[in-house]
């Protein structure tokens, strides 16, 4: 992300300084992707060919005849360490919240292809059998998981709860979820073939940091004298600590995509705004310009992070969701109705911009930031 | 496992002493299972009702109309720590082998319901970005993963390769796999409704420890003066070290179940013999007696473990696979052909016993051991 490094103050806390080195992970990821691609012949031989456009997208899709089958595995990542720290410091358990985060990581990716999520499997790998002795924590994890299933109309099919002392750090837990769904009718497939200039970009509100940018947040907490107990808005009555604000659970967007399908609105493409912030708007392989004319209000916890970590807008919007957790690309005529349907699901939405012919870039007009294709290398 | 504790020498290394406390995990597992069961209504409302008999079985099954959809998430567990130790001690990488183990954990469970495995997703959570800097290790993991996909005719759909410093221990990796398949035709569903007295039990050979009983193996390695470098059969020419023998990759049984389906042999029930050894023969909820008249040869690494850990047969067969990695329950008339088909897939098989009317117990005649229903509490 050359643009940001040039514009960022030298004591700013960049993502690289927070210990996440994308450069080191990606070449291996590439080798894995090439090997994975070579296995597609097997499902073709079974009579269920893959939808090759789904490789590299957020969920993998097979054509099983009357429907498409979508599947994914995802993990919570290091957000559990924030929950662990806040639990130690305050005695308040946020394990129900991080259970929702974990399901959101999987479901919000699965729905990008147009799938109705059906089954989730829990992957809860504890650092030792002792983890489950704390019944408050364990019961919260279970109740939060079930509540998220209820919101997404998912069946919790089962899962794996191994005790992995020596692999997972003591007194913490590695949380993941696998999710399976069907795209039915098949016209719901939203891999972007229909994405075109003139399409509207509808942004859906995030609830806070979600589960991306957490390494940065943890580094920041280390720098702050009061750490996670820092009041993020000391001049306002409704004070909230940094830790608690970080632990607002990720918004689940499946109710919106299902409501849109039920209303007959075709979704041409979607983007789950996660690890690369608004650079993810450039996710689709086509050459288009994405122009954003309106930006949502920034959740207080993200304003706080931007200020305290001294991130300019290029860095902040290129790393964090900054208030927009999901993007829907729809025909312009459907834009207002799309936003309205999201509202009826209890999620704020903005008809924020549009797709244009032109070179691959995302122009965020209100903040004067432009990301080019070089700023996002996912594949 | 009261039977074994009474019969085991006091310095024997039992599973509980190896740090795995099933008692502590299970009540939480039960609460999770109850909560999970309550979410089944959602898929029913979608028009894809669950097959409720699959709850508590090795894979979860939905009825999607023209076929059943089966899904699962599984993990390798602590076997990676054996690979890590042997790699440190000898420079020999066994990451291709543990990649196969990880896929086997998922696939060998998925096929128990009669599913053709179609898609696997990789879950590789490293203790830090640095893990991927060792290209030998990373490339072996990828090549072993792909090779296992090729054996099982699976498409490797993608996955997640997060760097989770602070959650996963430094310089190791938490390996998991999610797998999805279809049961088609629907008559292949093998949840045990057709299991009946007179059915034959066909045992399929294991390749060694597979990935269960590994905590015990690690504790044993700590006790041995030469640890993983101990020769497990010093009196034979073909000496193999304990570490290398442990790292023989788990047999993949999907080719056998697919070949049986292609040959028109109906499989009434199956058991993937994993964490509870031969006690798993009691897995089905029905009240039957399982009588085993012939046992397979014990792989040298398991004989070594039994001898060195001073386990009696009750403990050894109740914990380790002792040479049988998978059990097929078929009509008696199909038994010999079933074994023959396994042989043609390169896997040794024995028509080892039969199902009888009678109280729930597994009688292993050649070693004079009987397990009762109380010895296996999985649900």
């Amino acid at each position: 992300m050359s643009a940001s490094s040039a514009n960022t103050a030298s004591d700013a806390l960049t993502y690289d300084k927070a210990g996440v080195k994308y450069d080191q992970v990606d070449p291996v990821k590439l080798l894995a992707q090439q090997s994975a691609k070579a296995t597609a012949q097997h499902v073709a031989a079974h009579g269920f060919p893959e939808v090759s456009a789904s490789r590299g997208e957020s969920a993998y899709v097979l054509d099983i005849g009357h429907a498409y089958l979508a599947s994914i595995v995802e993990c919570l990542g290091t957000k559990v360490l924030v929950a662990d720290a806040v639990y130690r410091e305050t005695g308040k358990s946020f394990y129900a919240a991080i259970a929702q985060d974990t399901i959101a990581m999987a479901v919000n990716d699965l729905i990008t292809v147009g799938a109705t999520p059906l089954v989730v499997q829990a992957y809860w790998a504890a650092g030792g059998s002792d983890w489950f002795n704390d019944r408050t924590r364990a019961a919260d994890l279970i109740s939060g998981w079930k509540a998220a299933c209820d919101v997404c109309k998912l069946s919790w099919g089962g899962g794996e709860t191994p005790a992995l002392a020596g692999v997972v750090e003591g007194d913490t837990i590695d949380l993941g979820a696998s999710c399976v769904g069907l795209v039915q009718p098949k016209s719901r497939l939203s891999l972007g073939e229909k994405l075109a200039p003139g399409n509207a970009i509808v942004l859906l509100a995030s609830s806070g940091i979600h589960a991306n940018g957490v390494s940065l947040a943890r580094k920041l907490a280390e720098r702050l004298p009061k750490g996670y107990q820092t009041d993020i808005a000391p001049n306002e009555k409704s004070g909230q600590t940094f830790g608690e604000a970080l632990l607002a659970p990720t918004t689940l967007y499946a109710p919106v995509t299902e409501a849109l399908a039920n209303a007959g609105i075709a979704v041409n493409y979607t983007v789950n705004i996660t690890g690369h912030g608004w650079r993810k708007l450039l996710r689709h392989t086509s050459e288009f310009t994405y122009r954003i004319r309106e930006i949502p209000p920034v959740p207080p916890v993200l304003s706080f992070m931007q200020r305290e970590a001294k991130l300019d807008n290029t860095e902040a919007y290129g790393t964090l969701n900054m208030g927009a957790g999901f993007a829907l690309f729809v025909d312009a005529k459907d834009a207002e109705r799309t936003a309205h349907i999201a509202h009826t699901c209890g999620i704020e939405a903005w008809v924020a911009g549009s797709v244009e012919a032109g070179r691959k870039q995302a122009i965020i007009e209100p903040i004067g930031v432009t990301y080019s294709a070089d700023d996002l290398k996912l594949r």
Side-chain angles (χ1 to χ4, degrees), chain A:
Chain A
M1 240 178 90
S2 51
S4 61
S5 358
N7 298 338
T8 301
S10 64
D11 63 339
L13 191 57
T14 65
Y15 217 64
D16 191 63
K17 284 185 194 162
V20 177
K21 298 192 178 75
Y22 282 107
D23 287 351
Q24 285 175 18
V25 177
D26 285 355
V28 170
K29 206 167 169 176
L30 191 68
L31 178 62
Q33 284 171 344
Q34 287 166 342
S35 304
K37 199 173 176 181
T39 61
Q41 51 163 325
H42 298 310
V43 279
H46 285 303
F48 306 119
E50 73 168 23
V51 177
S52 58
S54 70
R55 285 216 175 262
E57 290 297 321
S58 299
Y60 180 67
V61 182
L62 286 194
D63 186 344
I64 59 166
H66 74 303
Y68 294 111
L69 173 64
S71 60
I72 193 167
V73 70
E74 272 289 338
C75 76
L76 173 64
T78 54
K79 193 168 179 178
V80 65
L81 299 175
V82 180
D84 288 342
V86 171
Y87 190 45
R88 271 195 308 271
E89 292 170 11
T90 69
K92 269 190 186 170
S93 151
F94 284 84
Y95 295 90
I98 62 171
Q100 176 171 329
D101 286 317
T102 308
I103 290 190
M105 291 304 98
V107 167
N108 290 348
D109 264 1
L110 192 84
I111 61 175
T112 61
V113 298
T116 300
L118 294 174
V119 177
V120 68
Q121 304 275 357
Y123 180 68
W124 301 347
S129 303
D130 292 351
W131 197 93
F132 296 99
N133 283 353
D134 181 333
R135 294 296 156 90
T136 301
R137 188 165 66 174
D140 282 354
L141 179 62
I142 291 168
S143 70
W145 196 271
K146 174 168 187 302
C149 288
D150 290 339
V151 170
C152 297
K153 309 295 182 201
L154 273 171
S155 179
W156 177 2
E160 183 71 356
T161 57
L164 298 185
V167 179
V168 174
E169 298 265 5
D171 209 38
T172 192
I173 191 161
D174 183 15
L175 295 176
S178 70
C179 191
V180 186
L182 291 177
V183 181
Q184 196 174 36
K186 290 171 93 171
S187 57
R188 276 188 66 183
L189 192 68
S190 53
L191 286 167
E193 286 87 346
K194 287 169 278 181
L195 184 67
N199 279 187
I201 304 172
V202 179
L203 297 177
L204 304 184
S206 73
S207 57
I209 195 172
H210 289 184
N212 293 100
V214 172
S215 299
L216 190 67
R218 290 172 50 227
K219 278 281 172 192
L220 186 56
E222 282 175 20
R223 279 194 185 182
L224 296 166
K226 293 176 74 178
Y228 290 118
Q229 302 316 310
T230 307
D231 191 336
I232 60 167
N235 300 325
E236 289 167 34
K237 279 185 194 163
S238 58
Q240 198 180 21
T241 66
F242 185 39
E244 295 193 9
L246 286 172
L247 289 162
T250 305
T251 305
L252 298 159
Y253 297 109
V256 178
T257 50
E258 287 307 295
L260 291 172
N262 291 337
I265 292 180
V267 175
N268 298 331
Y269 192 60
T270 68
V271 169
N272 184 19
I273 300 174
T274 55
H276 298 78
W278 289 40
R279 290 181 286 158
K280 274 271 170 75
L281 292 172
L282 297 164
R283 182 172 187 107
H284 195 262
T285 49
S286 295
E287 289 280 323
F288 290 126
T289 292
Y290 304 90
R291 187 177 301 276
I292 300 293
R293 296 187 188 84
E294 185 184 351
I295 56 174
V298 182
V301 67
L302 300 183
S303 303
F304 174 82
M305 281 180 66
Q306 179 174 13
R307 193 168 64 239
E308 293 293 327
K310 299 189 175 67
L311 306 177
D312 64 14
N313 279 330
T314 305
E315 182 73 31
Y317 279 80
T319 309
L320 304 167
N321 70 60
M322 299 305 276
F326 205 83
L328 296 160
F329 299 74
V330 296
D331 290 351
K333 68 173 173 51
D334 294 327
E336 290 297 340
R337 242 178 101 219
T338 296
H340 175 74
I341 286 170
H343 286 140
T344 62
C345 296
I347 294 172
E348 280 195 90
W350 299 268
V351 181
S354 56
V355 181
E356 298 177 355
R359 73 182 190 86
K360 191 164 188 167
Q361 56 185 338
I363 303 168
I364 322 295
E365 287 186 349
I367 52 169
V369 167
T370 296
Y371 299 108
S372 71
D374 290 343
D375 292 326
L376 185 73
K377 284 179 184 141
L378 291 173
R379 294 180 183 85

